[in-house]
Amino acid sequence: VRGSGSLLVYINGKPSGLTADNRSQILEQIPAASIVRFELITSPSAKYDAEGVTILNIITKEDRPDGRFGQISGGGGWPANSNASANLNLKKGAWVFSNNLSFRSSTRPMTGYTRRNSYVPGSPFLRQNQDISGDRSNMNASLSGSVEYSPDKKNTLTLTYLGGPRQEQHPELFQNTFSDSLNVPSRSYLRRVDNSELGWNTDINLSWVHKNNATGSEWSASTSGSMNGEVEQSDFEQEETFPWLDTIYSRSRNEGLNAVLSAQIDRIQMLKNAVFSKLEFGIKSNFRRSDNDLKTDSLNATT
């Protein structure tokens, strides 16, 4: 399912609101140490409202020992990589609190070159040399956690949340030179490209589960909201250095916002039947909003 647009990501059985556009960046915000296992549901039931898609369910740790538990970790690497996380878990009576704060930052320099010789019958020999330099840096931070209240063994009320910002920058410089078979330059130009992205996401879910431990039947109800947005900006400048002709500027800005609100009630009824073991039914309502605004312009040095 890697790269598939028909993949839904759930966290602890709840919709995460991740889309194909922001999935990888937001998944990086979940600390690996907090994940217990992954469940791949290739044939979701009607409960998931996901006909024709695959569900990846991420199960995270739920610390149940009485008392308090906390952990702080950090790391770094060359040339400019750093990460840090802190988590705190508390259980007192019917209450369970779990919180995690994480941060990650990295910068990766890059260089490259292209050497191309073109031999076209009836046309002059053309040699192209291109040198590239730049770097790619990204940063993300997240706050996630849950609050759980279990007044008895049959009922559980849970509030879960996940959110945080992310940023990515990718400046590049291209130097191109064209020459003939004697290495006499015929044209050269500099191209500067600066791409940046700033995004954020928020997921909140409130759920209630009532279990009949004797029969295995279950009532559940949940309401959830997720919102994610991003601003992508690209600045382009091309300067003719030989012979001087013109300088071209262009820029673009793309703003996107996605929001999902949902409410759901489900019933699992265990059956004493030799053919069917249980019956699942429920009702669900969804509200989705998606906005996208693209602005772009260009000009040169003479107009």
Side-chain angles (χ1 to χ4, degrees):
V1 297
R2 181 186 295 274
S4 172
S6 58
L7 174 68
L8 297 180
V9 179
Y10 277 55
I11 299 177
N12 295 325
K14 306 296 189 302
S16 66
L18 306 188
T19 66
D21 295 331
N22 66 4
R23 185 182 301 144
S24 61
Q25 296 93 333
I26 297 179
L27 287 177
E28 289 179 353
Q29 296 177 315
I30 304 176
S34 68
I35 298 175
V36 178
R37 67 183 185 274
F38 295 93
E39 294 179 347
L40 195 63
I41 306 173
T42 55
S43 299
S45 65
K47 175 181 178 181
Y48 294 98
D49 190 25
E51 183 179 356
V53 303
T54 299
I55 291 179
L56 176 65
N57 188 25
I58 302 175
I59 307 299
T60 59
K61 292 181 179 179
E62 297 182 0
D63 295 283
R64 287 293 186 269
D66 290 336
R68 296 182 297 269
F69 172 77
Q71 180 178 351
I72 298 177
S73 62
W78 184 89
N81 300 320
S82 61
N83 64 83
S85 65
N87 64 73
L88 175 64
N89 299 276
L90 170 65
K91 184 178 188 299
K92 186 176 182 180
W95 293 90
V96 179
F97 300 89
S98 177
N99 289 279
N100 185 280
L101 178 64
S102 65
F103 172 83
R104 176 185 297 179
S105 177
S106 67
T107 300
R108 302 185 299 274
M110 56 165 288
T111 58
Y113 65 88
T114 300
R115 302 292 183 261
R116 178 181 299 170
N117 296 328
S118 300
Y119 304 88
V120 179
S123 301
F125 172 86
L126 181 64
R127 175 178 289 120
Q128 178 185 3
N129 295 334
Q130 183 183 73
D131 295 283
I132 308 172
S133 62
D135 62 72
R136 183 184 295 271
S137 62
N138 61 72
M139 179 279 296
N140 64 64
S142 71
L143 174 65
S144 61
S146 64
V147 179
E148 183 176 304
Y149 176 64
S150 302
D152 51 48
K153 294 183 179 180
K154 294 183 178 181
N155 296 278
T156 302
L157 185 64
T158 306
L159 173 68
T160 61
Y161 47 88
L162 167 68
R166 63 185 186 276
Q167 184 179 34
E168 181 173 328
Q169 292 182 318
H170 187 197
E172 289 183 302
L173 176 64
F174 300 82
Q175 183 171 357
N176 292 270
T177 302
F178 299 86
S179 57
D180 58 17
S181 58
L182 300 177
N183 279 330
V184 177
S186 59
R187 182 193 176 196
S188 63
Y189 64 85
L190 289 175
R191 178 182 296 170
R192 300 176 182 88
V193 181
D194 189 3
N195 297 308
S196 63
E197 179 180 340
L198 177 63
W200 56 273
N201 70 286
T202 303
D203 288 278
I204 299 177
N205 180 277
L206 179 63
S207 63
W208 167 76
V209 177
H210 174 80
K211 294 183 178 180
N212 188 325
N213 298 323
T215 64
S217 299
E218 177 183 305
W219 278 103
S220 63
S222 66
T223 179
S224 63
S226 66
M227 184 176 295
N228 61 80
E230 61 182 3
V231 178
E232 298 178 2
Q233 187 162 318
S234 179
D235 295 314
F236 173 92
E237 177 184 349
Q238 180 169 306
E239 179 183 358
E240 298 281 349
T241 56
F242 178 82
W244 186 89
L245 296 176
D246 204 351
T247 301
I248 301 173
Y249 305 92
S250 68
R251 60 184 179 182
S252 64
R253 181 182 177 91
N254 188 12
E255 300 180 6
L257 178 66
N258 296 281
V260 179
L261 296 175
S262 65
Q264 183 171 350
I265 299 177
D266 293 286
R267 170 65 174 173
I268 299 177
Q269 179 66 49
M270 305 305 295
L271 304 175
K272 296 180 180 180
N273 187 290
V275 179
F276 303 102
S277 61
K278 64 179 179 179
L279 175 65
E280 295 186 22
F281 58 92
I283 184 172
K284 183 175 183 179
S285 177
N286 282 328
F287 171 79
R288 300 177 184 272
R289 175 179 176 179
S290 179
D291 294 328
N292 189 271
D293 187 17
L294 174 62
K295 298 178 181 179
T296 180
D297 57 8
S298 62
L299 66 154
N300 55 38
T302 59
T303 59

